[in-house]
């Protein structure tokens, strides 16, 4: 291991990448099994996955069925609660305004996302909903984790549908 670097920091970045890989698997599942835009999300609490989701708008005829909302709903069912303090949400694409709102309502402590979304991103790209200091709950946000892989899935998806 390289000296002079904080092993704790490296371990944190490695863990973030590992959970993001699971979110990328769910994104691929969205496309391959459901023909949906490939976005995936996992909610992690105390080192374990407590919720998983992927885009299911078309499958469920539901405009709110984004990967993040699906992961939060899954966690709610599994944990028997609607708030998840201390949790981290991993999502392959920067959350939109709707999902940012749901994340704040759910008291998620931290969001780690992959690709930025220049069209609807609400963690600073287009809107600042997720990073605004005007909420009574503050969520820490880290972007750009395995971003190229996440963006590549989306680029290939939309190219194949043209
Ligand atoms: Zn969304």
């Amino acid at each position: 291991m390289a000296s002079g670097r904080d092993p704790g920091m490296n371990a944190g970045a490695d863990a973030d990448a590992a959970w993001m890989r699971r979110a990328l698997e769910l994104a691929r599942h969205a496309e391959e099994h459901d023909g949906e835009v490939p976005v995936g999300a996992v909610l992690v609490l105390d080192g374990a996955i407590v919720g998983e989701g992927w885009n299911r708008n078309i499958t469920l005829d539901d405009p709110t069925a984004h990967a993040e909302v699906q992961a939060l709903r899954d966690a709610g069912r599994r944990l028997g609660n609607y708030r998840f303090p201390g949790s981290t949400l991993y999502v392959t694409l920067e959350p939109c305004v709707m999902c940012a709102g749901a994340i704040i309502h759910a008291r998620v402590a931290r969001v780690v996302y992959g690709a930025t979304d220049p069209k609807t991103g609400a963690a600073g790209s287009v809107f600042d909903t997720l990073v605004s200091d005007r909420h009574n709950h503050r969520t820490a946000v880290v972007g750009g984790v395995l971003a190229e892989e996440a963006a590549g899935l989306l680029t290939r998806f939309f190219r194949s549908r043209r």
Side-chain angles (χ1 to χ4, degrees):
M1 184 177 277
S3 60
R5 299 183 81 181
D6 178 355
M9 292 255 313
N10 289 340
D14 286 351
D16 281 350
W19 295 123
M20 187 62 80
R21 276 191 199 96
R22 177 58 187 157
L24 284 162
E25 279 177 23
L26 296 170
R28 280 189 282 273
H29 178 89
E31 177 177 3
E32 288 163 12
H33 292 260
D34 299 333
E36 302 267 2
V37 176
V39 179
V42 298
L43 189 72
V44 173
L45 183 64
D46 298 330
I49 290 177
V50 293
E52 293 189 325
W54 58 93
N55 260 348
R56 299 192 70 193
N57 295 122
I58 301 164
T59 319
L60 298 178
D61 293 318
D62 181 355
T64 71
H66 284 183
E68 300 93 313
V69 170
Q70 295 299 108
L72 294 173
R73 285 190 179 137
D74 187 33
R77 281 188 297 263
R78 291 200 212 180
L79 300 172
N81 208 331
Y82 67 101
R83 284 179 174 164
F84 318 110
S87 66
T88 299
L89 183 77
Y90 294 87
V91 56
T92 58
L93 181 66
E94 182 181 356
C96 71
V97 169
M98 174 187 74
C99 291
I103 287 162
I104 290 160
H105 281 299
R107 302 293 186 262
V108 171
R110 188 165 167 262
V111 170
V112 178
Y113 69 87
T116 55
D117 186 343
K119 288 189 183 140
T120 68
S125 289
V126 184
F127 304 103
D128 296 326
T129 314
L130 196 57
V131 291
S132 167
D133 58 9
R134 299 172 72 187
H135 302 294
N136 62 0
H137 171 75
R138 206 75 64 79
T139 302
V141 178
V142 178
V145 175
L146 303 185
E148 283 174 28
E149 212 171 314
L153 282 177
L154 290 160
T155 305
R156 280 193 298 278
F157 175 83
F158 288 112
R159 194 177 289 152
S160 72
R161 250 137 253 257
R162 236 183 262 150

